[in-house]
Amino acid sequence: MIELRDIHKAFNEGRPNEYWALRGIDLDIAAGESTVFSGPSGSGKTTLLTLLGCLARPTRGRVRLGDEDISSLPERFLTEIRRRTFGFVFQQFNLVRGLSALDNVMLPAYPLGLPHRELRARAEAQLAALDLGHRREARVEWLSGGEQQRVAIARALINAPQVVIADEPTANLDTALSCQFMGILERLLDEGRTVLLTSHDPLVVESETVDRVVRLRDGRLVEP
Amino acid sequence: MNQWIARQRYLVDFTLASLARRKTKNAGLLLVFALLVFVLASVMLFASALRHEATMVLAHSPEVILQRMVAGRHDLVPPGYVERIGRIRGVQKIEGRLWGYYYDPVVKANYTFMAVVPAPASGFAARPGAREASAPPAAGEIVVGSGLARHRGVQSGNVLSFRSYSGKLFSFRIAGVLPADSELVSADLVLTNQADFRAFFDYPADHWTDVTLSVANPQEVRTVAQKLANALPDSRPILRDEVSRTYQSIFDWREGIMLALLSAAILAFAILAWDKASGLSAEEKREIGILKAIGWETGDVIRMKLWEGLLVSLSAFLAGYVAAYAHVFHFSAVLFAPVLKGWAVLYPKFTLAPAIDGLQVTTLFFFTVLPYATAVLVPIWRAAVTDPDAVMRG
Ligand SMILES: Nc1ncnc2c1ncn2[C@@H]1O[C@H](COP(=O)(O)OP(=O)(O)OP(=O)(O)O)[C@@H](O)[C@H]1O
Ligand SMILES: [Mg+2]
């Protein structure tokens, strides 16, 4: 479903502090699978996720989504694809402070201009499915870490994306909450979604829910 | 279309929520903005109202006023003086006027007394702007300006007493109060008939305060003035055009001072706006990043911020303008009447006729709302076009 060919990514290209975070990645990701990117800190996991999720473009190489080459699309189309296809759960959750959980979940759908009632019902359903129905009116900064993550997941799912991307999803959670997260993951896979994660956490990397582990080092794939 | 409206509604909702979240900052900004508009609009409204008054004053004043000079000072016009002018081509009417000042110790204010002289002997050629009945008040009756009436707390039918300069007490019945449409010129007016005027001031019989001439053709005014100066070397003709020019320059000059002061205020505001704008807080930048990462287009972010800028600046503009309107037309521009008005006339409550100049409103709008909107948008645009991958790194 997603195809990477000879992907390179440089930061500060052409300047003295130029840094190549990715140095030639070839990778195919199948639809409906869960993939974990693992590797030492600085190996380029997060960078790779930003390329897969259309948050950034590669310096060199091609990214194909389905049968469309998206590495050279202008920003507008990239945003459109990102909104339709991907849902993000950030490591820091990145919820908008001062807004309620429900408002945060509805946020990605604002530019679509759906009828308010319909959107609200959808957001409430997402929160309820994650056991957060009772906290929907609470401001996000009052929620616990685990609750915030679930709000972030609900937000990632509001536009019904095919692919869910999560960066270090268990880094801020204790074991019990991490297990709960893996449960949610399983549900997403059952629904037929593709899941892309990064993690050092053995609980994630060695989990049965994970179909495939891809290891990175110094911006390259490590052959198993 | 429906979808477009729904989208804008979501953006406005989000904007309102954002504004509410940064309450103190936005309230402060709103206040400064509104204050600026208030001051600017007050000056503009006040100055244009004054100019409007001046125009009205002049519209009703005669083309030429002739004063007699003795030792370089304004003196009474003696009997037979007017006749010496003879016939001058182009002059339609020559009329003597009777007027004088009276200080009222009760309220510590100056009034202008004026006799209404019936045509044709000498029609009431007007203290400018006073478009009152040309029939003179009956003996023992007066018509007073609305400012005076308000200040002395009197109305039609009451009796008002003045002690004349000779020490005698005169009582007049108020036959009417002048309409308040141009208070600057009629607020302090007391109209009497000729006999009462002469009695009250012990005015010598057949003398006049000055003489007015109406000239139909504006091109002939200068020639008429020249002929007057030749015929009566001790006279001084005052032309309406010259008065008009003096008024204009006085107003322009005063307004100029105010605007100079105000440009300082505008500058301060520009700096503030620029600072707010370029100093986009880390929190705001983060939010923009989040919105883009979760699927908002650059255009959505900019539209949202545009709404924010518009909501802030429009409400500030409205609040400031309405406050300025109230200030100038309901509270007599109390805050800077001393600066702008300048001439020391005692008006207890001096109310200008409300007048709004569309061009002025537009100018003010474009000089406040637009710079603000752009100052806010530029950095937003810069933040909004960057790749959103930074959000991934917290
Ligand atoms: N915006 C940037 N400018 C310069 N260098 C960057 C930037 N973003 C990332 N890097 C560098 O690229 C390299 C890869 O970063 P990345 O965040 O992908 O690593 P990671 O594998 O996710 O590490 P971690 O496990 O610590 O999250 C790092 O050395 C990082 O310093
Ligand atoms: Mg990382």
Side-chain angles (χ1 to χ4, degrees):
Chain A
M1 165 191 204
I2 307 178
E3 219 179 272
L4 301 184
R5 287 294 169 265
D6 193 30
I7 292 294
H8 288 72
K9 176 72 178 177
F11 290 109
N12 309 314
E13 195 186 8
R15 274 181 273 166
N17 58 348
E18 177 178 285
Y19 184 82
W20 288 90
L22 295 178
R23 310 160 189 227
I25 305 258
D26 290 281
L27 189 68
D28 289 284
I29 288 169
E33 272 197 354
S34 59
T35 307
V36 172
F37 299 97
S38 174
S41 184
S43 55
K45 304 182 294 291
T46 300
T47 309
L48 189 55
L49 277 194
T50 62
L51 296 182
L52 286 165
C54 296
L55 283 171
R57 268 171 292 200
T59 312
R60 278 215 309 268
R62 310 210 145 278
V63 182
R64 293 182 74 84
L65 177 67
D67 35 35
E68 203 176 358
D69 184 343
I70 59 169
S71 32
S72 53
L73 282 182
E75 133 104 30
R76 251 176 66 83
F77 296 95
L78 225 52
T79 308
E80 177 70 32
I81 290 172
R82 186 160 71 231
R83 183 166 58 214
R84 253 188 339 193
T85 318
F86 299 97
F88 296 89
V89 181
F90 303 99
Q91 187 176 352
Q92 257 63 21
F93 310 139
N94 281 339
L95 300 174
V96 176
R97 255 167 269 166
L99 294 186
S100 70
L102 193 65
D103 284 337
N104 262 283
V105 173
M106 287 159 57
L107 216 45
Y110 280 3
L112 300 177
L114 302 170
H116 190 265
R117 197 172 313 169
E118 183 188 327
L119 177 56
R120 196 185 155 94
R122 240 158 76 178
E124 281 174 354
Q126 288 296 346
L127 283 173
L130 291 162
D131 281 337
L132 270 177
H134 60 297
R135 300 294 275 152
R136 62 172 183 239
E137 297 299 342
R139 283 162 155 243
V140 286
E141 60 266 38
W142 298 337
L143 300 178
S144 73
E147 287 172 330
Q148 288 192 18
Q149 187 183 51
R150 280 179 284 148
V151 173
I153 294 172
R155 183 179 69 180
L157 296 176
I158 189 74
N159 286 338
Q162 234 175 313
V163 185
V164 176
I165 293 182
D167 195 16
E168 307 280 355
T170 59
N172 298 319
L173 306 180
D174 63 20
T175 311
L177 285 173
S178 297
C179 289
Q180 190 186 27
F181 175 80
M182 294 315 285
I184 296 171
L185 203 68
E186 225 174 300
R187 199 195 92 203
L188 296 180
L189 289 166
D190 287 347
E191 288 166 0
R193 299 184 213 276
T194 312
V195 178
L196 304 173
L197 309 173
T198 68
S199 188
H200 314 280
D201 190 348
L203 197 137
V204 176
V205 178
E206 288 156 21
S207 155
E208 302 202 332
T209 327
V210 170
D211 301 311
R212 182 179 176 198
V213 177
V214 175
R215 293 185 192 277
L216 281 106
R217 176 174 291 275
D218 300 329
R220 290 194 177 86
L221 298 186
V222 181
E223 298 307 326
Chain B
M1 190 59 196
N2 272 341
Q3 200 191 8
W4 186 86
I5 291 172
R7 276 171 68 164
Q8 303 308 313
R9 255 204 58 202
Y10 282 124
L11 293 182
V12 172
D13 277 356
F14 183 77
T15 299
L16 288 175
S18 306
L19 289 173
R21 277 183 292 147
R22 292 183 267 275
K23 229 177 271 142
T24 34
K25 182 184 158 188
N26 286 307
L29 194 79
L30 204 75
L31 198 76
V32 174
F33 200 145
L35 207 67
L36 177 91
V37 173
F38 168 75
V39 175
L40 278 171
S42 289
V43 173
M44 285 183 161
L45 285 173
F46 192 70
S48 77
L50 276 187
R51 215 170 301 151
H52 179 75
E53 299 272 343
T55 317
M56 275 180 59
V57 166
L58 293 169
H60 295 277
S61 98
E63 284 76 19
V64 183
I65 296 174
L66 191 73
Q67 293 181 337
R68 181 171 165 249
M69 308 300 287
V70 171
R73 291 181 56 82
H74 181 190
D75 202 43
L76 302 188
V77 178
Y81 195 81
V82 173
E83 287 68 32
R84 273 171 50 205
I85 303 172
R87 269 208 56 79
I88 298 179
R89 241 173 59 95
V91 175
Q92 289 185 319
K93 249 194 295 184
I94 305 182
E95 293 165 343
R97 295 198 304 184
L98 281 175
W99 57 271
Y101 295 127
Y102 174 80
Y103 177 72
D104 182 358
V106 179
V107 289
K108 299 192 178 60
N110 271 302
Y111 304 149
T112 303
F113 271 66
M114 188 161 226
V116 182
V117 184
S122 211
F124 173 65
R127 157 78 180 275
R131 282 165 296 151
E132 47 293 312
S134 47
E141 288 193 345
I142 52 175
V143 173
V144 298
S146 54
L148 187 154
R150 188 165 50 227
H151 200 36
R152 288 288 302 249
V154 293
Q155 56 194 35
S156 226
N158 292 10
V159 171
L160 206 53
S161 299
F162 301 111
R163 187 171 295 281
S164 80
Y165 291 126
S166 57
K168 272 182 286 178
L169 198 67
F170 285 76
S171 292
F172 297 104
R173 204 185 72 85
I174 298 175
V177 176
L178 294 172
D181 60 347
S182 178
E183 289 211 355
L184 189 56
V185 288
S186 63
D188 70 335
L189 212 52
V190 178
L191 300 176
T192 66
N193 68 23
Q194 200 183 151
D196 282 345
F197 183 91
R198 292 188 191 273
F200 184 70
F201 284 110
D202 271 338
Y203 220 81
D206 295 329
H207 283 64
W208 301 103
T209 312
D210 53 24
V211 177
T212 63
L213 293 86
S214 338
V215 180
N217 184 350
Q219 254 116 48
E220 286 175 7
V221 171
R222 296 229 156 251
T223 345
V224 169
Q226 193 58 49
K227 285 181 185 161
L228 285 173
N230 290 341
L232 304 164
D234 61 343
S235 74
R236 177 172 68 179
I238 300 167
L239 308 187
R240 183 171 72 181
D241 281 358
E242 280 167 7
V243 177
S244 157
R245 226 167 301 135
T246 313
Y247 269 147
Q248 287 300 338
S249 69
I250 287 175
F251 287 140
D252 290 348
W253 179 74
R254 284 168 196 282
E255 204 181 2
I257 293 185
M258 288 305 280
L259 286 178
L261 290 176
L262 286 171
S263 49
I266 297 177
L267 194 70
F269 172 72
I271 293 170
L272 178 108
W274 189 253
D275 181 62
K276 175 205 148 77
S278 51
L280 207 57
S281 71
E283 175 77 15
E284 277 173 300
K285 271 193 198 140
R286 185 175 156 268
E287 261 181 42
I288 292 176
I290 295 175
L291 293 175
K292 287 199 68 180
I294 61 176
W296 284 40
E297 277 166 29
T298 306
D300 293 324
V301 175
I302 291 178
R303 269 190 288 278
M304 183 267 287
K305 287 291 175 181
L306 194 66
W307 276 116
E308 184 179 317
L310 273 179
L311 286 174
V312 168
S313 52
L314 274 182
S315 40
F317 184 84
L318 274 181
Y321 203 87
V322 169
Y325 188 91
H327 171 223
V328 171
F329 297 119
H330 295 287
F331 297 100
S332 319
V334 277
L335 295 184
F336 45 67
V339 189
L340 267 176
K341 221 172 356 170
W343 48 87
V345 196
L346 271 175
Y347 288 106
K349 179 165 168 267
F350 151 79
T351 323
L352 288 162
I356 290 187
D357 180 348
L359 182 70
Q360 258 184 15
V361 180
T362 322
T363 312
L364 190 60
F365 184 82
F366 280 108
F367 276 88
T368 49
V369 172
L370 273 198
Y372 180 77
T374 30
V376 168
L377 271 189
V378 168
I380 297 288
W381 179 77
R382 266 198 315 226
V385 292
T386 50
D387 274 346
D389 61 333
V391 244
M392 276 294 232
R393 303 177 204 278

PDB file of all heavy atoms in Angstrom, chain A residues 11-12 19 21 40-47 168 200, chain B residues 393, ligand 1:
ATOM      1  N   PHE A  11      18.398  17.286   6.851  1.00  0.00           N
ATOM      2  CA  PHE A  11      18.002  18.517   7.541  1.00  0.00           C
ATOM      3  C   PHE A  11      19.069  19.559   7.287  1.00  0.00           C
ATOM      4  O   PHE A  11      20.254  19.238   7.230  1.00  0.00           O
ATOM      5  CB  PHE A  11      17.835  18.260   9.043  1.00  0.00           C
ATOM      6  CG  PHE A  11      16.632  17.404   9.343  1.00  0.00           C
ATOM      7  CD1 PHE A  11      16.790  16.094   9.773  1.00  0.00           C
ATOM      8  CD2 PHE A  11      15.353  17.909   9.184  1.00  0.00           C
ATOM      9  CE1 PHE A  11      15.686  15.300  10.036  1.00  0.00           C
ATOM     10  CE2 PHE A  11      14.249  17.118   9.448  1.00  0.00           C
ATOM     11  CZ  PHE A  11      14.406  15.810   9.878  1.00  0.00           C
ATOM     12  N   ASN A  12      18.679  20.789   7.114  1.00  0.00           N
ATOM     13  CA  ASN A  12      19.605  21.895   6.872  1.00  0.00           C
ATOM     14  C   ASN A  12      20.514  21.611   5.698  1.00  0.00           C
ATOM     15  O   ASN A  12      21.717  21.832   5.757  1.00  0.00           O
ATOM     16  CB  ASN A  12      20.453  22.179   8.124  1.00  0.00           C
ATOM     17  CG  ASN A  12      19.595  22.326   9.352  1.00  0.00           C
ATOM     18  OD1 ASN A  12      18.584  23.013   9.335  1.00  0.00           O
ATOM     19  ND2 ASN A  12      19.973  21.630  10.417  1.00  0.00           N
ATOM     20  N   TYR A  19      22.496  17.546   7.947  1.00  0.00           N
ATOM     21  CA  TYR A  19      22.464  16.229   8.596  1.00  0.00           C
ATOM     22  C   TYR A  19      21.532  15.304   7.833  1.00  0.00           C
ATOM     23  O   TYR A  19      20.375  15.629   7.576  1.00  0.00           O
ATOM     24  CB  TYR A  19      22.004  16.373  10.051  1.00  0.00           C
ATOM     25  CG  TYR A  19      22.043  15.057  10.790  1.00  0.00           C
ATOM     26  CD1 TYR A  19      23.234  14.582  11.341  1.00  0.00           C
ATOM     27  CD2 TYR A  19      20.895  14.263  10.909  1.00  0.00           C
ATOM     28  CE1 TYR A  19      23.287  13.359  11.991  1.00  0.00           C
ATOM     29  CE2 TYR A  19      20.929  13.040  11.556  1.00  0.00           C
ATOM     30  CZ  TYR A  19      22.129  12.588  12.087  1.00  0.00           C
ATOM     31  OH  TYR A  19      22.175  11.381  12.719  1.00  0.00           O
ATOM     32  N   ALA A  21      19.341  12.382   8.016  1.00  0.00           N
ATOM     33  CA  ALA A  21      18.681  11.534   9.007  1.00  0.00           C
ATOM     34  C   ALA A  21      18.282  10.193   8.399  1.00  0.00           C
ATOM     35  O   ALA A  21      18.219   9.187   9.102  1.00  0.00           O
ATOM     36  CB  ALA A  21      17.452  12.252   9.567  1.00  0.00           C
ATOM     37  N   PRO A  40      17.823   2.604  17.898  1.00  0.00           N
ATOM     38  CA  PRO A  40      18.345   3.522  18.900  1.00  0.00           C
ATOM     39  C   PRO A  40      17.858   4.952  18.665  1.00  0.00           C
ATOM     40  O   PRO A  40      17.406   5.285  17.567  1.00  0.00           O
ATOM     41  CB  PRO A  40      19.864   3.423  18.736  1.00  0.00           C
ATOM     42  CG  PRO A  40      20.107   2.724  17.459  1.00  0.00           C
ATOM     43  CD  PRO A  40      18.877   2.002  17.070  1.00  0.00           C
ATOM     44  N   SER A  41      17.994   5.754  19.708  1.00  0.00           N
ATOM     45  CA  SER A  41      17.594   7.152  19.597  1.00  0.00           C
ATOM     46  C   SER A  41      18.419   7.838  18.508  1.00  0.00           C
ATOM     47  O   SER A  41      19.616   7.630  18.404  1.00  0.00           O
ATOM     48  CB  SER A  41      17.825   7.828  20.947  1.00  0.00           C
ATOM     49  OG  SER A  41      17.369   9.137  20.894  1.00  0.00           O
ATOM     50  N   GLY A  42      17.748   8.623  17.678  1.00  0.00           N
ATOM     51  CA  GLY A  42      18.460   9.339  16.613  1.00  0.00           C
ATOM     52  C   GLY A  42      18.623   8.525  15.350  1.00  0.00           C
ATOM     53  O   GLY A  42      19.224   8.986  14.384  1.00  0.00           O
ATOM     54  N   SER A  43      18.048   7.336  15.312  1.00  0.00           N
ATOM     55  CA  SER A  43      18.260   6.493  14.139  1.00  0.00           C
ATOM     56  C   SER A  43      17.337   6.892  12.978  1.00  0.00           C
ATOM     57  O   SER A  43      17.496   6.397  11.868  1.00  0.00           O
ATOM     58  CB  SER A  43      18.044   5.024  14.508  1.00  0.00           C
ATOM     59  OG  SER A  43      16.765   4.856  15.079  1.00  0.00           O
ATOM     60  N   GLY A  44      16.382   7.764  13.234  1.00  0.00           N
ATOM     61  CA  GLY A  44      15.555   8.261  12.137  1.00  0.00           C
ATOM     62  C   GLY A  44      14.137   7.729  12.125  1.00  0.00           C
ATOM     63  O   GLY A  44      13.422   7.882  11.131  1.00  0.00           O
ATOM     64  N   LYS A  45      13.680   7.145  13.229  1.00  0.00           N
ATOM     65  CA  LYS A  45      12.340   6.555  13.264  1.00  0.00           C
ATOM     66  C   LYS A  45      11.256   7.618  13.061  1.00  0.00           C
ATOM     67  O   LYS A  45      10.367   7.466  12.211  1.00  0.00           O
ATOM     68  CB  LYS A  45      12.111   5.850  14.619  1.00  0.00           C
ATOM     69  CG  LYS A  45      13.146   4.793  14.968  1.00  0.00           C
ATOM     70  CD  LYS A  45      12.833   4.104  16.271  1.00  0.00           C
ATOM     71  CE  LYS A  45      12.915   5.017  17.481  1.00  0.00           C
ATOM     72  NZ  LYS A  45      14.294   5.451  17.818  1.00  0.00           N
ATOM     73  N   THR A  46      11.359   8.668  13.860  1.00  0.00           N
ATOM     74  CA  THR A  46      10.337   9.714  13.765  1.00  0.00           C
ATOM     75  C   THR A  46      10.357  10.359  12.384  1.00  0.00           C
ATOM     76  O   THR A  46       9.304  10.621  11.778  1.00  0.00           O
ATOM     77  CB  THR A  46      10.570  10.772  14.862  1.00  0.00           C
ATOM     78  OG1 THR A  46      10.487  10.132  16.134  1.00  0.00           O
ATOM     79  CG2 THR A  46       9.532  11.874  14.793  1.00  0.00           C
ATOM     80  N   THR A  47      11.562  10.601  11.887  1.00  0.00           N
ATOM     81  CA  THR A  47      11.689  11.193  10.553  1.00  0.00           C
ATOM     82  C   THR A  47      10.981  10.329   9.515  1.00  0.00           C
ATOM     83  O   THR A  47      10.250  10.833   8.651  1.00  0.00           O
ATOM     84  CB  THR A  47      13.172  11.346  10.197  1.00  0.00           C
ATOM     85  OG1 THR A  47      13.832  12.023  11.262  1.00  0.00           O
ATOM     86  CG2 THR A  47      13.353  12.116   8.912  1.00  0.00           C
ATOM     87  N   GLU A 168       6.042   6.567  19.443  1.00  0.00           N
ATOM     88  CA  GLU A 168       6.319   6.206  20.840  1.00  0.00           C
ATOM     89  C   GLU A 168       5.048   6.204  21.690  1.00  0.00           C
ATOM     90  O   GLU A 168       4.968   6.913  22.686  1.00  0.00           O
ATOM     91  CB  GLU A 168       7.321   7.202  21.460  1.00  0.00           C
ATOM     92  CG  GLU A 168       8.602   7.393  20.663  1.00  0.00           C
ATOM     93  CD  GLU A 168       9.618   6.275  20.886  1.00  0.00           C
ATOM     94  OE1 GLU A 168       9.345   5.400  21.739  1.00  0.00           O
ATOM     95  OE2 GLU A 168      10.641   6.263  20.179  1.00  0.00           O
ATOM     96  N   HIS A 200      10.638   1.773  21.389  1.00  0.00           N
ATOM     97  CA  HIS A 200      11.737   0.963  21.937  1.00  0.00           C
ATOM     98  C   HIS A 200      11.172  -0.081  22.880  1.00  0.00           C
ATOM     99  O   HIS A 200      11.888  -0.935  23.354  1.00  0.00           O
ATOM    100  CB  HIS A 200      12.677   1.755  22.871  1.00  0.00           C
ATOM    101  CG  HIS A 200      13.120   3.071  22.388  1.00  0.00           C
ATOM    102  ND1 HIS A 200      14.143   3.207  21.490  1.00  0.00           N
ATOM    103  CD2 HIS A 200      12.739   4.326  22.718  1.00  0.00           C
ATOM    104  CE1 HIS A 200      14.361   4.499  21.290  1.00  0.00           C
ATOM    105  NE2 HIS A 200      13.518   5.179  22.018  1.00  0.00           N
TER     106      HIS A 200
ATOM    107  N   ARG B 393       7.957  16.384  16.987  1.00  0.00           N
ATOM    108  CA  ARG B 393       9.059  16.395  17.953  1.00  0.00           C
ATOM    109  C   ARG B 393       8.730  17.222  19.196  1.00  0.00           C
ATOM    110  O   ARG B 393       9.617  17.603  19.933  1.00  0.00           O
ATOM    111  CB  ARG B 393      10.326  16.919  17.280  1.00  0.00           C
ATOM    112  CG  ARG B 393      10.672  16.100  16.086  1.00  0.00           C
ATOM    113  CD  ARG B 393      11.854  16.605  15.329  1.00  0.00           C
ATOM    114  NE  ARG B 393      11.781  16.127  13.944  1.00  0.00           N
ATOM    115  CZ  ARG B 393      12.172  14.926  13.560  1.00  0.00           C
ATOM    116  NH1 ARG B 393      12.704  14.093  14.424  1.00  0.00           N
ATOM    117  NH2 ARG B 393      12.055  14.545  12.313  1.00  0.00           N
TER     118      ARG B 393
HETATM  119  N1  LIG C   1      14.493  19.560  12.297  1.00  0.00           N
HETATM  120  C1  LIG C   1      15.696  18.944  12.433  1.00  0.00           C
HETATM  121  N2  LIG C   1      16.826  19.638  12.189  1.00  0.00           N
HETATM  122  C2  LIG C   1      18.011  19.027  12.302  1.00  0.00           C
HETATM  123  N3  LIG C   1      18.178  17.780  12.667  1.00  0.00           N
HETATM  124  C3  LIG C   1      17.091  17.041  12.932  1.00  0.00           C
HETATM  125  C4  LIG C   1      15.798  17.597  12.842  1.00  0.00           C
HETATM  126  N4  LIG C   1      14.899  16.623  13.160  1.00  0.00           N
HETATM  127  C5  LIG C   1      15.613  15.540  13.462  1.00  0.00           C
HETATM  128  N5  LIG C   1      16.916  15.772  13.325  1.00  0.00           N
HETATM  129  C6  LIG C   1      17.979  14.813  13.524  1.00  0.00           C
HETATM  130  O1  LIG C   1      17.721  13.655  12.734  1.00  0.00           O
HETATM  131  C7  LIG C   1      18.069  12.510  13.443  1.00  0.00           C
HETATM  132  C8  LIG C   1      16.940  11.530  13.456  1.00  0.00           C
HETATM  133  O2  LIG C   1      15.929  12.079  14.255  1.00  0.00           O
HETATM  134  P1  LIG C   1      14.604  11.273  14.652  1.00  0.00           P
HETATM  135  O3  LIG C   1      13.794  12.147  15.474  1.00  0.00           O
HETATM  136  O4  LIG C   1      14.016  10.709  13.426  1.00  0.00           O
HETATM  137  O5  LIG C   1      15.215  10.101  15.545  1.00  0.00           O
HETATM  138  P2  LIG C   1      14.417   8.997  16.334  1.00  0.00           P
HETATM  139  O6  LIG C   1      14.886   7.703  15.793  1.00  0.00           O
HETATM  140  O7  LIG C   1      12.984   9.292  16.306  1.00  0.00           O
HETATM  141  O8  LIG C   1      15.002   9.189  17.789  1.00  0.00           O
HETATM  142  P3  LIG C   1      14.235   9.026  19.185  1.00  0.00           P
HETATM  143  O9  LIG C   1      14.178   7.574  19.456  1.00  0.00           O
HETATM  144  O10 LIG C   1      15.090   9.748  20.145  1.00  0.00           O
HETATM  145  O11 LIG C   1      12.900   9.639  19.044  1.00  0.00           O
HETATM  146  C9  LIG C   1      18.506  12.948  14.843  1.00  0.00           C
HETATM  147  O12 LIG C   1      19.934  12.903  14.902  1.00  0.00           O
HETATM  148  C10 LIG C   1      18.016  14.352  14.940  1.00  0.00           C
HETATM  149  O13 LIG C   1      18.937  15.121  15.689  1.00  0.00           O
END
